Amino acid sequence: TDGSYLHNVPSGTDITITAKETVSLGGMGIIGGVSQSVGGTLAATGDIAITVIGGSADTSFTMNGASSLRTIAATNEAPDLSHTITLTTDQDIQIYGTITALPEGGDITLTSGELILVDGFVKANDTLTLTGGADETDVGLIVNAFVFGTDANGDLLRLQGGTLTTNSGGSITLGATEKVVLSGVIGEVHEISGVLVADTRTISITDGDVMLT
């Protein structure tokens, strides 16, 4: 899903979701008569705001590995149009899929009163901010380490692993009331003329006891 299905959607079209218990993207579906895991997609040409407050569920927001949440630029949109993704919850956030805000100036802000778990891919054009809270595990933010296996053909297969990154010159700010555990990729690098160049300009950790593994 590259967003091409939004070609008839006007620029600046927003998505706003307010819920009390859980917002979930992806799940089990029937394809060809077979029950299997399927993804869900939320895509906008403006801002996306999801707020989940006041419920009793342990997890406020979750998305499986086949799901995506993205804001994209519309054709011939006006300059300086806002492209932000904001996710605010009082319980856990679980990211196994893809969240991107790649148009110019695109920002992503994830805020949880408890745990933020990143086991997928999160990329902003400009600013990426994750703020976790206080969880019964004493951890407020986890970015999972990468684990690889092989498929039936012997090809390398990603089993798990979280990535937080931005476009060139962007910034990442991380924090939590309790521990921050960073085991995945924080700010990608690429090679230019044999030199490794970091995409993200600054990475800041504002709160929490940090564990790098």
Side-chain angles (χ1 to χ4, degrees), residues 48-74:
I48 299 175
I50 300 174
T51 304
V52 187
I53 299 292
S56 59
D58 290 335
T59 301
S60 293
F61 179 87
T62 183
M63 62 190 305
N64 67 12
S67 295
S68 66
L69 183 64
R70 64 186 67 193
T71 175
I72 67 172

